Amino acid sequence: MQDVGSTNTVAMEAARAGDPGNLWVTATRQLEGRGRRGRAWASEPGNLYSSLLLMEPAPLSVLGQLPLVVAVGLQTALAGLPALDRDAVRIKWPNDILLHGAKCVGILIESERLATGQQAVVIGTGINVALKPEGQPYKVATLRECGFSGTVEDVFHAVALGINEALALWRRGENFGEVRRLWLDRSAGLGQMITVNLPDRSVSGRFVDLDLQGRLLLEGANGALEVFSAGDVFLLG
């Protein structure tokens, strides 16, 4: 597609119309791109905007693991692109992809229980291939400025393969232990001081682990552990 409001919206509309899933939607530009918590997402031509529609991808009890699964797939995809430093591609909890410490990928996962009773899940990704937004509260990067000279189509093919492989490894939640191991191995900030920003407060401490559900474990100054299932993470180390 050329211009769309949002690839996530198009994918979810396809689900409501009866699409069986495993459908990829891509666009040259999004006119109503959005990030987590309804934030606007700059979506001009030159970057990759894509969404994957899945129908009943896993039991509801384990769908909360999906952001980490997708992050592992995207990290695999970008780390394998020509001319990029594999070790410089890292995951910031829960699913931001960093390149040399700067954000280059945004992920938005949305789900809906359809009138048929099926659970539709849409995995939206925005990847800074050639362009990056200005005025962000964190560092941002593009694949181009880090050495990648391929096309947006090249990036899409790598992303589709990486996410499909990660979903297959996950096995609808039956093999999350292996996904968790890979996530930790490729993480940014593990063992370091971080701040978790929540809607009503900010909490700082040492990022010590993920629990078996993929939640972040933060060690405070008094040694007590606090568990987070959501929040914006800022690396301090």
Side-chain angles (χ1 to χ4, degrees):
M1 293 184 176
Q2 294 297 312
D3 293 356
V4 301
S6 160
T7 56
N8 268 29
T9 299
V10 172
M12 192 61 78
E13 288 173 348
R16 296 178 190 130
D19 192 279
N22 292 323
L23 169 72
W24 279 99
V25 177
T26 65
T28 301
R29 181 173 67 156
Q30 294 185 120
L31 303 178
E32 300 171 3
R34 60 188 184 274
R36 291 196 297 267
R37 298 176 184 162
R39 297 166 180 153
W41 182 269
S43 305
E44 292 302 312
N47 291 341
L48 174 62
Y49 313 110
S50 65
S51 296
L52 171 62
L53 168 64
L54 300 174
M55 301 297 292
E56 299 284 356
L60 277 176
S61 60
V62 297
L63 274 185
Q65 301 167 358
L66 193 53
L68 281 74
V69 177
V70 174
V72 167
L74 282 168
Q75 191 280 338
T76 299
L78 268 59
L81 291 176
L84 293 187
D85 181 351
R86 176 179 294 272
D87 291 335
V89 184
R90 293 282 165 177
I91 308 170
K92 179 168 73 69
W93 187 87
N95 59 2
D96 284 339
I97 306 300
L98 306 182
L99 188 52
H100 296 284
K103 182 175 176 177
C104 65
V105 178
I107 302 169
L108 178 63
I109 300 177
E110 298 178 302
S111 66
E112 180 179 314
R113 178 69 68 180
L114 302 178
T116 61
Q118 294 176 292
Q119 190 75 27
V121 176
V122 175
I123 301 167
T125 59
I127 300 180
N128 297 340
V129 179
L131 306 172
K132 61 184 178 183
E134 302 297 333
Q136 301 300 311
Y138 43 77
K139 294 188 295 182
V140 290
T142 69
L143 304 185
R144 284 273 185 273
E145 66 189 12
C146 294
F148 175 71
S149 59
T151 66
V152 172
E153 289 74 19
D154 293 333
V155 179
F156 170 70
H157 290 306
V159 164
L161 179 61
I163 290 179
N164 286 339
E165 287 181 346
L167 289 169
L169 175 68
W170 183 44
R171 296 206 309 267
R172 294 173 51 87
E174 294 180 359
N175 194 32
F176 181 66
E178 180 62 14
V179 173
R180 174 179 172 273
R181 184 191 69 78
L182 292 175
W183 193 102
L184 288 167
D185 185 58
R186 303 168 183 187
S187 66
L190 184 63
Q192 300 175 12
M193 295 297 294
I194 66 171
T195 292
V196 181
N197 286 344
L198 304 170
D200 60 340
R201 63 191 175 109
S202 295
V203 184
S204 295
R206 190 168 66 91
F207 175 21
V208 294
D209 205 352
L210 296 179
D211 70 7
L212 297 181
Q213 287 75 48
R215 297 175 299 182
L216 184 147
L217 299 182
L218 192 73
E219 182 183 62
N222 60 359
L225 290 180
E226 192 164 356
V227 182
F228 296 88
S229 58
D232 291 328
V233 168
F234 287 81
L235 306 180
L236 305 179

